[in-house]
Amino acid sequence: MAASHMLFCFWVLLLFMNNAAGETRHYKFNVEYHNVTRLCHTRTVLTVNRKFPGPQLVAREGDRVIVKVVNHIANNVTIHWHGVRQLTTGWSDGPSYITQCPIQANQSYIYNFTITGQRGTLWWHAHISWLRVSIYGPIIILPKRNESYPFAKPDKEVTIMLGEWFNSDPEAIISQALQTGAGPNVSDAYTINGYPGPLYNCSSKDTYKLKVKPGKTYLLRLINAALNDELFFSIANHTVTVVEGDAVYTKPFVTDKLLITPGQTTNVLLKTKPEFPNATFLMAARPYVTGQGTFDNSTTVGILEYEHPSHHNHKSSKNLTIIQPVLPPINATGFVVNFTGKFRSLGNAKYPANVPKTVDKKFFFTVGLGTNPCPKNTTCQGPNNSSKFAASVNNVSFQLPTIAILQAYYFGQNGVYTTDFPTQPLIPFNYTGTAPNNTNVMNGTRAVVLPFNTSVELVMQDTSILGAESHPLHLHGYNFFIVGQGFGNYDPNKDPLKFNLVDPMERNTASVPAGGWVAIRFFADNPGAWFMHCHLDVHTSWGLRMTWIVLDGPGPNQKLQPPPSDLPQC
């Protein structure tokens, strides 16, 4: 009896260890050309596995994920697993020339990482030039086995990815813009799961439909994959309950409108009406705009369609009333501040908000637009037709090196980057007031070096140089806590008194408000080289980006792992 009991205990222990350790999940991503037609324009689009949007990657918290990416196109490519912490596996993070050289044509690279302490919705996308306009897809991280959501289990889960469609090649668009110094052409449509919807010309058939049943609860995994626009989203005559942002559970709150900035994900619960409503409801997305440049002032819609319980003797869906949602005005900054302020971490024993209470290092970064002078004997189409658009952090416009920074750091290669990134503006000015006369930026490849486990406070201040503008900033390799935000110039004496150190929202992407500031805190507990950049790709292309280098810690699990043998060469 004792022996059989011991054997039973052994099997239970083995089962528990297997559950705790997680599975290994294998994926193969073929980056391929694929012809796609939208708005009566057929274009050769760069895709993964000939899908637009790309395939979903599904794993559980604790799983190891191995993705072999094979490049079948002429462009260099990388894939970034947006929001995945990549603890000690920085070689798999994906931003080109930061953690790896790109995968060249007819080459491959295996991304290998473990999902630790995360569950919810993230996403993956190309991370070189503007290729992510069509190379993107969802990452769905389920809770560990036998663990549940901190809310009632939904009847069904649905992924909704917001994106942009260009009738012409986006690579040609950004290439021309960087050459002339002008702002790039804007997209021709926004999309829901790759479809623009019926408000665009020649697009009535290209409409995403979500079929639902009355009296059910749906978990909608919303992702903003748009290249250059923060987007409002709403479903007509329905409210949703926000339960998660950037794969972090939130204190639930109800809303009928959302803002999602590029890079962000938001999980919401949609409770459908108790009975068949004799109506069809539109879900819509359109931009939130703060800058002064041109933008795609259009609206993408999908259809929320109720299944009739009998399927007989009812009006055809064509005859049903169509109800449209009311979205905020395109410049509704008041709504945006109110909405983003509602996000709070659960902050309970199971899902604590481990915000740094004390700070080892404080940084103050200005973010915004600026100019580069026009090269001699050329004409430029940027500001005043005499300069090129640029963007910067603390007036440094980041230049990508030709060797990956992580590689240079790991192998001690000199001359690739410098470690003198300014911790505060070199010349203080009235950041949100009258712009200085000289709008030129400095150019360089500079990084900030942090000892392992440094507690960091970073205040990011928008500037009004060439116009105040919202900037969704994404930090690779980390989540951070948003402890405060406000308008005008940050006041280091008064503003910290109002910081939320109890249940601040934890995210990987957050917007610096137009004409305002945001304060974040995090522990630098992940060794490697980590990119931080604006997720409006035009601003990233212009240089609104920088790199943090975090040194190894003393423990065996606190050191950057050696590079894989198939690491791409530059």
Side-chain angles (χ1 to χ4, degrees), residues 342-415:
K342 290 178 180 175
F343 280 82
R344 292 279 187 272
S345 293
L346 272 183
N348 58 23
K350 188 169 185 182
Y351 304 106
N354 294 319
V355 58
K357 300 291 196 294
T358 58
V359 174
D360 298 326
K361 293 205 171 180
K362 292 187 178 184
F363 298 89
F364 182 77
F365 289 177
T366 55
V367 295
L369 303 186
T371 56
N372 269 322
C374 205
K376 279 185 180 176
N377 302 322
T378 60
T379 54
C380 290
Q381 295 168 18
N384 304 320
N385 284 331
S386 60
S387 61
K388 289 188 168 192
F389 272 109
S392 67
V393 181
N394 273 352
N395 206 42
V396 177
S397 188
F398 188 89
Q399 290 182 311
L400 286 176
T402 53
I403 296 172
I405 286 179
L406 186 61
Q407 216 172 314
Y409 160 69
Y410 188 85
F411 292 108
Q413 292 168 279
N414 294 323

Side-chain angles (χ1 to χ4, degrees), residues 43 83 89 118 128 189 245 294 309 324 378 390 414 458 477 560:
R43 193 162 66 73
T89 54
Q118 293 182 279
I128 182 167
T294 53
Q324 297 194 35
T378 60
N414 294 323
L458 167 62
L560 176 67

Side-chain angles (χ1 to χ4, degrees), residues 17 40 48 80 154 165 182 189 246 289 373 443 505 531 559:
M17 286 170 67
C40 282
V48 166
H80 168 52
W165 170 263
D246 290 0
V289 180
N443 300 295
M505 190 55 201
F531 205 28
K559 291 177 167 48

